[in-house]
Amino acid sequence: MKKSVLVCLLAALSMAQLNAETVLYHNATLINPATEQQLSLGWLLVQDGRIVKMGQAQADGLPAANRQIDLQQHYVLPGLIDVHLHLTAGPHRVEMRDGTPVITMTGHSEITRYHALSTLATGVTTAFSPAGDPVANADYVQQQQAGYWPGPRLHYAGYVFEPTPILGGSVHPTDEASWRAEIASQQAMGVDYIKLYTGLTPGEVAMGVRLAREAGLKTVAHLDGVSWQYAADLGIDVLTHALPTSAELLTGAGRAAYLAERKNPFNQRFIYSWFQHVDYDSEPMQRLIQTLAQQQTRVDLTLVVNELFYFARELDALYPEDAMWVFHPETRRRWRALMAGPSYDWSAADFAIAQQQLPKVKEFFKRLYDAGVPLAIGSDSVSSGPFFLRELQLSQAAGLSNWQVLQLATVGGAHHLGLADTGQLAEGYLADFIVVSANPVTDLNALSTVHTVVQQGKRWQVEALKEKLTTLSSLEL
């Protein structure tokens, strides 16, 4: 009797699968960065949120489907993956609390909904938040997966472990028991990673890596005084930002000069001066690059952040206002001032010197890439938009081909996040892909022509997503 029931259930399941709606996307060039292949007159058959078949019309004909969507000879590639997106963060502000100025990045659900929509509208279907309010991130994931808030699928870390108080952003436990309790609390809210930040001591970084590993979590770190080499030797999982500002990676007179500069805690010129002093062929840097490659430590350098700081007084030219529709009005009003904060006392000469370091920043990227260090693309923004595209362009300017850049933005991001069924156009993979009007293999700017986004089989027209943004931007906060 039990066997009969099981057979019936399996038959019903098989019949349901056969009857599930199939959607055929056809008449497009399929671009698969993972294999560096382009397939003209290509088609994708989607069912239950996955690509079940794919082929070429001339060779294979077209399969039967419940619906057919003619893509009119446009270009299809996997959905983009932003591995450094602070989706749920609110506008950064300084507030007075008990007579003391305190940094806050507390988010707001309507701002999060806006940035999720705008990120999806620019072709990013999956993202990782390397730091943020774990309650807000968990709430977003619940709303997104239920279909209420369109946006990228999100993986996330929690509050940064950092002594500087940041409302809605940081925690700093005082002893190992408190660290363990905070890690358990964040884990209960669905974090995948623990974020270690710039103000921690070497001992705290070591404890964070150890306790996270004990809890079955990974670690991501933005470090300053603590060396990348030290963190890599501990087995850190991810290092982030092209600001490896530890003096331990410098040598000789350059190291002495850098240490003298860092004695002033209000001097932010180290953002560029580290690159003035570093010698990539020195023993410390060669050892670091070798360690990162051997251990396959994942890195997202966010080159765009260096450029934003170095060109903080030219942001209107780099990011004109009409490109900033991706930001909620509250964020749009503040973001340029936020970027200009570290350089408030820089002279014209400082900016000139900083901008001269950008080629060396890009060289760092290329050296890591050539050594086999696993890199991925992150915007370090609250909405991917033009910042993600600019990160791609800077990666290309560092010496990568368009194919290589597109790999980092798709299958590279999937590897970065440990996603085995994402980042490629392949049978059995999630139906996460975008349709663009021009070919990004020829010109990366084609990624600004996204007009259709398919995420786990659900199709979104970009113009319809933008209409939703208009409604959200008018809501009272």
Side-chain angles (χ1 to χ4, degrees):
M1 182 67 178
K2 289 183 179 179
K3 184 176 180 181
S4 176
V5 171
L6 179 61
V7 169
C8 290
L9 287 173
L10 289 173
L13 177 61
S14 177
M15 185 62 66
Q17 290 174 332
L18 288 172
N19 291 334
E21 183 181 62
T22 52
V23 181
L24 178 69
Y25 294 87
H26 66 99
N27 191 21
T29 297
L30 306 183
I31 297 173
N32 197 9
T35 58
E36 295 192 15
Q37 291 181 325
Q38 299 185 70
L39 187 67
S40 60
L41 296 176
W43 53 262
L44 297 169
L45 187 65
V46 174
Q47 184 180 39
D48 291 333
R50 293 187 179 270
I51 299 169
V52 293
K53 289 184 180 179
M54 56 187 295
Q56 188 175 35
Q58 288 180 329
D60 309 322
L62 291 176
N66 300 110
R67 297 176 61 207
Q68 291 193 10
I69 298 175
D70 186 341
L71 296 178
Q72 301 178 345
Q73 300 183 12
H74 286 174
Y75 300 85
V76 174
L77 68 155
L80 306 175
I81 300 175
D82 188 338
V83 303
H84 200 126
L85 180 69
H86 296 287
L87 184 62
T88 60
H92 288 62
R93 301 180 297 274
V94 176
E95 296 181 355
M96 297 300 295
R97 297 291 176 99
D98 299 324
T100 303
V102 178
I103 301 171
T104 175
M105 52 186 294
T106 303
H108 190 288
S109 61
E110 295 307 313
I111 294 178
T112 294
R113 289 179 63 193
Y114 187 103
H115 292 151
L117 271 169
S118 66
T119 294
L120 188 65
T122 55
V124 172
T125 54
T126 304
F128 173 62
S129 171
D133 180 344
V135 175
N137 282 334
D139 184 48
Y140 168 78
V141 167
Q142 182 180 15
Q143 298 291 341
Q144 189 271 334
Q145 291 182 348
Y148 300 131
W149 291 4
R153 287 180 296 128
L154 187 69
H155 303 263
Y156 56 94
Y159 294 125
V160 299
F161 285 77
E162 160 65 25
T164 301
I166 305 173
L167 293 177
S170 72
V171 291
H172 190 228
T174 55
D175 54 35
E176 182 166 327
S178 300
W179 273 74
R180 198 182 300 275
E182 177 62 30
I183 289 172
S185 174
Q186 292 191 18
Q187 187 172 31
M189 290 181 276
V191 305
D192 303 301
Y193 289 74
I194 296 302
K195 177 66 173 286
L196 306 174
Y197 210 58
T198 59
L200 297 178
T201 66
E204 288 174 320
V205 171
M207 180 168 57
V209 172
R210 173 172 57 84
L211 294 180
R213 188 178 293 131
E214 288 177 7
L217 297 173
K218 296 180 180 179
T219 44
V220 54
H222 173 186
L223 301 177
D224 183 3
V226 175
S227 172
W228 277 25
Q229 183 66 56
Y230 178 81
D233 289 341
L234 290 172
I236 199 90
D237 294 290
V238 181
L239 290 165
T240 189
H241 296 308
L243 298 167
T245 45
S246 168
E248 292 181 26
L249 297 171
L250 305 177
T251 56
R255 180 175 183 176
Y258 183 75
L259 285 170
E261 294 169 10
R262 294 307 302 268
K263 288 181 180 178
N264 179 358
F266 302 105
N267 181 0
Q268 299 290 299
R269 290 168 180 81
F270 71 88
I271 293 170
Y272 68 80
S273 69
W274 187 89
F275 290 95
Q276 285 181 288
H277 301 304
V278 71
D279 175 3
Y280 296 136
D281 293 318
S282 67
E283 189 279 331
M285 287 303 300
Q286 286 294 301
R287 180 182 168 220
L288 172 65
I289 293 171
Q290 183 180 32
T291 302
L292 297 176
Q294 287 178 342
Q295 296 186 177
Q296 289 293 281
T297 306
R298 285 165 285 138
V299 177
D300 74 278
L301 287 178
T302 61
L303 306 177
V304 67
V305 174
N306 294 69
E307 185 179 62
L308 286 167
F309 287 149
Y310 300 170
F311 291 83
R313 295 182 184 174
E314 302 172 40
L315 295 183
D316 288 340
L318 285 171
Y319 298 95
E321 191 60 26
D322 62 1
M324 300 317 300
W325 60 269
V326 298
F327 278 172
H328 187 278
E330 282 294 313
T331 304
R332 203 177 307 164
R333 281 193 282 269
R334 304 170 188 264
W335 78 275
R336 289 183 175 87
L338 175 67
M339 291 296 102
S343 59
Y344 75 97
D345 63 343
W346 291 10
S347 66
D350 287 318
F351 278 105
I353 296 171
Q355 291 166 18
Q356 291 166 9
Q357 306 316 307
L358 195 57
K360 204 164 182 181
V361 176
K362 291 183 283 191
E363 181 188 351
F364 183 47
F365 177 98
K366 186 62 160 56
R367 288 208 178 210
L368 293 179
Y369 183 89
D370 288 345
V373 178
L375 305 177
I377 299 296
S379 66
D380 194 24
S381 180
V382 291
S383 177
S384 302
F387 304 100
F388 190 86
L389 177 58
R390 185 58 185 157
E391 185 71 9
L392 296 177
Q393 293 168 336
L394 289 168
S395 302
Q396 180 201 51
L400 272 61
S401 70
N402 283 11
W403 274 121
Q404 291 170 326
V405 172
L406 293 171
Q407 286 167 359
L408 296 185
T410 55
V411 65
H415 289 164
H416 191 90
L417 300 180
L419 305 176
D421 61 354
T422 305
Q424 297 191 48
L425 299 181
E427 293 180 4
Y429 274 62
L430 288 178
D432 283 4
F433 55 85
I434 60 177
V435 187
V436 295
S437 302
N439 191 342
V441 177
T442 304
D443 183 356
L444 292 175
N445 287 314
L447 295 176
S448 64
T449 69
V450 179
H451 61 77
T452 302
V453 178
V454 177
Q455 183 190 49
Q456 291 185 261
K458 183 173 179 59
R459 181 166 61 104
W460 302 94
Q461 296 301 121
V462 169
E463 287 306 313
L465 292 174
K466 287 184 175 180
E467 287 179 10
K468 292 177 180 287
L469 291 178
T470 301
T471 301
L472 284 175
S473 65
S474 64
L475 294 177
E476 291 287 336
L477 297 183

